[in-house]
Amino acid sequence: MSDEREAPEVDVVALPGGALAALEAVLMVADAPVGADRLAAIVALPTDDVVGLLEELAAEYRGDAGGRPRGFELREGAQGWRIYSAPSHADVVARLVLEGQSARLSQAALETLAVIAYRQPVTRGQVSAVRGVNVDGVVRTLLARGLVAEVGQDPLSGAVLFATTGEFLDRMGWASLDELPPIAPHLPGIDALDDLAARDRATQPAD
């Protein structure tokens, strides 16, 4: 017999603060973005109604109606809705979060992430060809932070292919890769990238 129990039905409208407060309560404990469909199922309301409520909350937090701007904001990212600390207070929040340790990506990591973002999916060899250095350690760092992920294998070399993740988009505040700034022309074309990486494939084992 299963021990799983279904959560009791709750009339969120009848709760203190109504549906808006119910959504706030859910978002406050969410450790990852939550899609509007999922939120609608949780509060038992139509998705369109929930989207409207979320947009109302987001506007309230921004102080759009003349209220006090909050130290946090509600944003919709690639993976759903989530409450974030306001960018204007990033330095203050960093004092608590960092506790003397730098959580920023190194220049090497930023450059590697940029190549992956604009030329994904790519292999380590292809990224190394663009940067001119071995990127194994940097890629491991990006994987550990959830900014990139393995998405398959190169059909020719068998090397692992990497691409950016929804977490990357959310960290950047973007909903899709279409919002990447137009700097791609400054990176080698994909054909040139393949030619450069071929030398690595000839001398290094596949990822």
Side-chain angles (χ1 to χ4, degrees), residues 84-176:
Y84 299 85
S85 59
S88 57
H89 295 83
D91 290 342
V92 176
V93 174
R95 297 175 189 173
L96 171 66
V97 176
L98 302 185
E99 295 182 347
Q101 297 182 3
S102 176
R104 295 182 178 179
L105 291 173
S106 66
Q107 185 65 31
L110 289 172
E111 291 174 2
T112 299
L113 184 57
V115 175
I116 294 174
Y118 282 100
R119 295 305 184 196
Q120 59 188 307
V122 292
T123 67
R124 283 192 184 96
Q126 290 173 325
V127 179
S128 294
V130 173
R131 296 203 55 238
V133 295
N134 186 290
V135 297
D136 288 359
V138 176
V139 170
R140 283 195 295 271
T141 296
L142 297 175
L143 284 167
R145 296 203 180 188
L147 299 174
V148 302
E150 298 179 2
V151 294
Q153 289 185 309
D154 186 297
L156 297 178
S157 68
V160 174
L161 291 168
F162 296 92
T164 54
T165 63
E167 176 69 13
F168 163 75
L169 291 174
D170 286 335
R171 290 292 185 90
M172 299 301 295
W174 299 331
S176 75

Side-chain angles (χ1 to χ4, degrees), residues 2 8 25 40-41 43 54 70 88 101 103 105 107 117 132 180 182-183 188-189 202:
S2 173
V43 299
L54 292 168
R70 309 294 180 87
S88 57
Q101 297 182 3
L105 291 173
Q107 185 65 31
L180 279 167
I183 64 171

